[in-house]
Amino acid sequence: MNGKPSALVVALTGGVAAGKGAVTRRFEALGVPVHDADVAAREVIAPGSEGLAEVVAAFGPGVLDPEGRLDRPAMRRRVFAEPAARRGLEAIIHPRVRAWLHERALAERAPYCLLAIPLLAENHAHYRWVDRVLLVDVPASVQLARLVARDGIDPTLAQRMIDQQASRAERLALADDVIDNSGVESALDAAVADLHQRYLTLATA
C-alpha cells in the first residue's frame, strides 16, 4: 500500500472478549477517530460489492440469505469447521479490509487515529505502516470467563475460539503500549486518558 498517513496511526488490538470495545468507546469520547476492521469487513462484502461477488464465486450462492446478503451465521459455522474455507474467505476479505483502513488513515486530519484490528497479530506483516500498537490485555482465565458469559457458550467452545487466535504472548510481543483490562471497566478511564495525552504529544513531536 502506497502512502504514509500524516496522522499518527495507532493500531488497537486484543484477544476475543478482552474489552477492546470498552477502550475504543473511551477514545471516541475524547474525540479520537476510530476506524474499525469489523466495520470494514462488513462493508467490503456488502450487497452489490465486488467482495461479495467473489465470495459467491468461491463458495456458491448458498452463502447468501434471502435478502442477498452474506449469511454470516452459516458462513461462520462453515469456516469454523473447514480450515481451508476459512483461509479462502480471509484471502478475499482481509486485503480489502486493509485497503479500507489504509484509505481512511490517509484521509485523516486529526493528530492521531485508532485502527481497531482484532486480528492484528495474525496479519502484522501487512500493517507495517502503522506507528504504534496498543494491546488491550487480560489473563487467559479472565478472557475465557468473559467469553463464556458474553456469548452464553460452553467453556470448551470458548477455548477453541481463543485457540484459533494468536497467543497472548504473540500479542504482547507486538505491543508498544498495553492496557491491563483485568479489573473493573471504570479503571480504563485513567489508562485511556494517559495514553491520549501521550499520543497527542507523539503526534505533534
Side-chain angles (χ1 to χ4, degrees):
M1 289 176 191
N2 298 321
K4 181 75 177 73
S6 58
L8 181 80
V9 180
V10 180
L12 179 146
T13 193
V16 60
K20 298 179 295 295
V23 173
T24 57
R25 285 192 297 273
R26 283 163 169 79
F27 277 103
E28 287 177 318
L30 295 169
V32 179
V34 176
H35 305 294
D36 193 325
D38 287 340
V39 173
R42 290 192 293 271
E43 289 199 6
V44 300
I45 52 169
S49 67
E50 289 182 4
L52 185 60
E54 193 170 336
V55 171
V56 172
F59 295 97
V63 299
L64 299 178
D65 66 15
E67 284 74 44
R69 298 184 299 258
L70 183 67
D71 186 338
R72 291 179 179 278
M75 196 76 221
R76 194 177 299 120
R77 288 191 295 271
R78 181 166 175 181
V79 301
F80 193 70
E82 302 174 33
R86 177 168 59 88
R87 289 190 295 271
L89 184 65
E90 289 174 350
I92 296 168
I93 294 177
H94 285 187
R96 289 177 166 84
V97 168
R98 291 193 292 270
W100 188 98
L101 291 169
H102 191 241
E103 287 169 7
R104 277 149 185 79
L106 284 173
E108 198 55 70
R109 294 297 173 260
Y112 80 92
C113 66
L114 286 187
L115 307 181
I117 309 175
L119 299 180
L120 180 69
E122 292 84 344
N123 297 279
H124 185 246
H126 299 289
Y127 288 99
R128 300 294 188 190
W129 50 272
V130 307
D131 296 297
R132 295 185 76 81
V133 173
L134 169 58
L135 173 64
V136 184
D137 181 54
V138 294
S141 59
V142 174
Q143 183 185 16
L144 180 63
R146 287 181 180 173
L147 182 56
V148 168
R150 188 192 75 181
D151 290 4
I153 56 178
D154 67 79
T156 301
L157 176 57
Q159 189 62 57
R160 285 171 63 194
M161 292 171 66
I162 291 170
D163 290 344
Q164 283 196 342
Q165 295 189 336
S167 69
R168 185 187 184 193
E170 288 170 322
R171 286 190 291 266
L172 284 166
L174 286 178
D176 298 294
D177 307 296
V178 179
I179 289 181
D180 177 3
N181 191 28
S182 58
V184 295
E185 186 175 318
S186 59
L188 294 173
D189 295 341
V192 169
D194 287 346
L195 283 171
H196 178 56
Q197 291 305 316
R198 182 186 305 175
Y199 294 153
L200 287 174
T201 300
L202 289 170
T204 55

